[in-house]
Amino acid sequence: MLIPVKAIQSFNGVKMNWNPTIKQLKLQKGDSTVLLTVGKSVALINNKSVSLDVPVTIINGRTLVPIRFVSEVLNYNVELNPSTKLITISDRANSVLTENYKSDNLAISRIAALQFPINNSGLLMLTADDEGLNSTYYFPEGKSDSYFIQTADLVYHYEIKGGQAKLMWEAKLDTTKKSAAKDINQLFGYQVDKQYGTAPQLSEKYVFFNVNLFTYMIQYGFANADGQMRVLGSQQSSSQVIQNKNFVREIDEEQPIES
């Protein structure tokens, strides 16, 4: 798949330089530098030669570059929807976030997971009926590779994949109907009215962090899959801490689970 060079100008954090004399394109993002030359099936990545499946090409006066190669080299994720022919290009976590996510400290790993770039492509985005002044984040006990966010009458489930937090399932709750069945409804207290994606299999126990977006108060504790919650403590926070997702803390009673 080839796209016009001008499209790369919209990529966040990418610097581009075109040398018309030698017909060479230079792309820079962070510590990565890519050199692409029209007609050549070899690119230079930080001065190392890498073969291309398709060379840079000029068609009708427009310079076209291989989108998947360029995107992945510059740490972007590329997705093609075969039915709509729509290409989605999105950010991936940088090296610092990636290393933090690998940390043995669950709090550090979870903060990194919440800071990973969000990828919502492929699912419709639901709209809340009520203004959410509280958001609750649920992590399976001992893990950081997936999480729920519940805000007002909406719930989102993300999984960490390929340097991103990928939206896998979303649901709108009917807050007039308390949950009855012993399924995913019980964790969130209400029955699901609409949903898209694949509902995940519930873990037996979750660690939760409830964030009050008005008072900046954080509550944390355990939540069972049957909806029973046990608050372990609370702490005063700030808008900056909440924005950066640094409200996650270690839970003394939590049992880490190896993947």
Side-chain angles (χ1 to χ4, degrees):
M1 183 74 67
L2 299 171
I3 64 166
V5 165
K6 287 186 177 181
I8 299 175
Q9 292 176 334
S10 62
F11 285 21
N12 183 36
V14 175
K15 296 180 180 179
M16 185 174 71
N17 181 265
W18 170 251
N19 187 325
T21 304
I22 59 175
K23 296 182 179 178
Q24 187 177 76
L25 178 67
K26 181 179 181 181
L27 302 171
Q28 288 181 289
K29 183 186 179 186
D31 297 329
S32 297
T33 299
V34 184
L35 292 176
L36 296 158
T37 305
V38 172
K40 289 191 176 181
S41 297
V42 174
L44 290 178
I45 303 175
N46 294 336
N47 294 320
K48 293 183 179 180
S49 297
V50 178
S51 297
L52 299 172
D53 291 334
V54 181
V56 177
T57 306
I58 296 179
I59 299 177
N60 297 328
R62 294 196 305 171
T63 303
L64 306 176
V65 296
I67 181 57
R68 184 171 295 279
F69 172 82
V70 169
S71 298
E72 292 181 350
V73 165
L74 297 177
N75 202 34
Y76 292 99
N77 185 63
V78 182
E79 292 179 275
L80 171 64
N81 187 318
S83 59
T84 63
K85 307 299 182 183
L86 179 68
I87 298 174
T88 302
I89 300 169
S90 50
D91 283 321
R92 292 194 294 198
N94 58 33
S95 58
V96 174
L97 276 182
T98 300
E99 285 304 310
N100 286 345
Y101 174 66
K102 295 176 182 177
S103 173
D104 293 332
N105 184 304
L106 268 175
I108 294 174
S109 181
R110 285 169 173 167
I111 290 171
L114 293 177
Q115 292 175 341
F116 268 36
I118 297 292
N119 184 342
N120 292 328
S121 65
L123 290 181
L124 296 173
M125 295 304 295
L126 295 168
T127 304
D129 290 333
D130 303 313
E131 183 179 2
L133 295 179
N134 286 274
S135 291
T136 305
Y137 297 77
Y138 300 85
F139 283 94
E141 183 180 24
K143 294 187 176 184
S144 60
D145 58 356
S146 66
Y147 60 88
F148 290 101
I149 302 177
Q150 181 178 5
T151 301
D153 56 351
L154 299 180
V155 180
Y156 305 96
H157 181 252
Y158 292 92
E159 293 182 5
I160 303 301
K161 294 185 174 185
Q164 297 181 318
K166 173 71 173 174
L167 179 62
M168 307 301 293
W169 176 77
E170 60 179 333
K172 185 166 186 166
L173 305 175
D174 185 342
T175 55
T176 67
K177 298 178 181 178
K178 293 286 187 179
S179 59
K182 293 182 178 181
D183 56 18
I184 203 165
N185 295 272
Q186 284 199 314
L187 181 61
F188 308 113
Y190 301 100
Q191 294 183 31
V192 170
D193 182 36
K194 298 177 182 177
Q195 60 180 311
Y196 298 98
T198 303
Q201 183 176 355
L202 284 180
S203 299
E204 292 184 6
K205 195 174 186 181
Y206 290 83
V207 169
F208 76 86
F209 300 90
N210 178 263
V211 179
N212 188 304
L213 303 176
F214 182 71
T215 65
Y216 306 139
M217 183 63 71
I218 310 295
Q219 278 191 329
Y220 53 90
F222 287 114
N224 294 331
D226 62 5
Q228 297 297 313
M229 302 183 77
R230 179 161 62 100
V231 177
L232 298 177
S234 62
Q235 62 189 53
Q236 187 63 49
S237 189
S238 67
S239 60
Q240 184 175 7
V241 167
I242 291 173
Q243 183 177 1
N244 293 330
K245 307 298 189 297
N246 288 323
F247 52 80
V248 175
R249 55 164 292 159
E250 288 188 89
I251 306 297
D252 294 336
E253 299 179 39
E254 185 174 10
Q255 300 297 314
I257 300 173
E258 294 185 4
S259 301

